[in-house]
Amino acid sequence: MPLDPEIAAILPLLSGAPPLREGTPASARAGFRLFTVDLRDPAHLAPVLSTEDVSYPAADGERAARIYRPHVDGPVPTILFVHGGGFVIGDIDTHEDHARLLSAEVGAVVFSIDYRLAPEHPFPAGHLDVVAALRHVVGIVGELGGDASRIAVAGDSAGGNLSAGAAIAARNEGLPLKAQLLLYPSTDFDADADHPSRVDNAAGYFLTADDMLWFRDCLLPDHTDVRASVLRHPDLSGVAPAIVATAEFDPLRDEGEAYATALEKAGVPVVAKRYDGLIHGFFGLPHLSAGARRATVEICADLKELLG
């Protein structure tokens, strides 16, 4: 399909900043917050019953979290949400829209977390924080959604990678995890791997191949670590059922779809969908694109069904 026309109209705004490697992590974080937080219209945020700022015991001490509660009575699912941003940028506030949308559309309590970012804290710091957060959510689920049989982990981009890693850790530790939602996840840090979308969509569609390499250089001294390169993990059997959503015009498209295939080959139930005409980050663009809105509603409906 051609690029979504509403997406095409805003691409100059999304792609107008200098390449990330020409700045610093601090400037990249500030630029991302400007676009996602400072310029956000609060009217576009999905309504929830309440929010509460809390903390959780991360791997290196207490870190910030935010709880979103839906307009739903009785026990509901609980979703641990892990924000994206290339493991370098992003925070709870930049992904307020994602967490609210999941809470409202799925009818779930969402526990959204901050975690340690690279390059100050290279891998596996963020991974260890997310796994610690999942243990915490499992331990206090009675104070969250209240249903220990309906816990999910969800994340976009880098958050999708960390969610996939947490799902593998949950299997290893015997933590109850009903589902994992992976939104256009990074799954393979081998820069030489054969993923044609890295070439076909290398530039001009918001996330660039050069940005991906900069993020990797900030994060990962060893791309062979299968806690990060989850596509290379030798045993994916028994992990939680997955929803894997990819975008046609995204350099991460092929590795996300390859991970969905690897999960299926391991016997894991998978709902894998490519959203044609859309770009990386579309889950945050439903107010700007009807196509993105349809995709986000469908993804949330799929997760709601998977969580029962």
Side-chain angles (χ1 to χ4, degrees):
M1 288 181 62
L3 184 65
D4 179 281
E6 292 176 301
I7 296 290
I10 62 172
L11 264 181
L13 174 63
L14 294 174
S15 305
L20 291 176
R21 68 173 61 254
E22 293 183 5
T24 65
S27 64
R29 291 166 190 155
F32 191 52
R33 279 189 64 92
L34 173 66
F35 178 74
T36 57
V37 179
D38 299 342
L39 298 179
R40 175 193 292 148
D41 183 349
H44 294 147
L45 294 173
V48 295
L49 178 64
S50 66
T51 65
E52 179 185 4
D53 287 333
V54 296
S55 65
Y56 75 97
D60 73 330
E62 294 292 309
R63 299 199 70 84
R66 184 172 295 154
I67 300 171
Y68 302 82
R69 299 187 185 275
H71 289 279
V72 179
D73 294 328
V76 298
T78 299
I79 301 171
L80 170 63
F81 180 74
V82 187
H83 71 78
F87 310 91
V88 176
I89 64 178
D91 54 43
I92 294 173
D93 293 331
T94 63
H95 285 66
E96 173 96 1
D97 53 344
H98 294 56
R100 282 175 168 267
L101 188 61
L102 284 169
S103 181
E105 293 285 341
V106 180
V109 170
V110 172
F111 192 89
S112 179
I113 63 166
D114 273 343
Y115 54 88
R116 286 174 291 172
L117 298 176
E120 297 89 342
H121 304 285
F123 193 86
H127 166 77
L128 296 176
D129 286 346
V130 174
V131 175
L134 182 56
R135 294 189 195 109
H136 179 65
V137 165
V138 170
I140 66 164
V141 69
E143 304 169 26
L144 299 173
D147 188 344
S149 69
R150 293 192 291 167
I151 299 173
V153 62
D156 66 303
S157 193
N161 172 278
L162 292 165
S163 295
I168 295 169
R171 177 209 56 189
N172 294 345
E173 297 184 19
L175 299 175
L177 193 64
K178 179 73 171 180
Q180 52 178 317
L181 170 60
L182 313 180
L183 300 167
Y184 28 85
S186 56
T187 67
D188 188 358
F189 287 92
D190 183 353
D192 298 321
D194 183 20
H195 300 301
S197 62
R198 292 182 177 178
V199 177
D200 298 342
N201 301 323
Y205 300 111
F206 177 46
L207 177 66
T208 69
D210 186 65
D211 289 343
M212 289 167 51
L213 290 175
W214 183 76
F215 285 136
R216 191 193 78 152
D217 291 344
C218 287
L219 173 73
L220 201 65
D222 179 10
H223 73 260
T224 65
D225 191 323
V226 295
R227 293 174 299 175
S229 287
V230 290
L231 181 59
R232 308 289 171 170
H233 199 285
D235 181 14
L236 297 173
S237 62
V239 303
I243 297 168
V244 183
T246 59
E248 180 181 10
F249 295 100
D250 182 356
L252 291 177
R253 181 194 69 209
D254 290 351
E255 62 193 83
E257 293 174 0
Y259 190 62
T261 298
L263 289 171
E264 288 177 329
K265 288 182 177 178
V268 177
V270 177
V271 176
K273 295 181 180 178
R274 176 191 294 186
Y275 289 93
D276 291 333
L278 298 185
I279 63 170
H280 190 83
F282 69 77
F283 202 83
L285 303 174
H287 58 295
L288 296 173
S289 160
R293 176 61 184 169
R294 287 190 296 271
T296 57
V297 169
E298 182 174 274
I299 290 166
C300 289
D302 287 341
L303 181 58
K304 186 173 185 177
E305 180 178 358
L306 187 55
L307 287 170

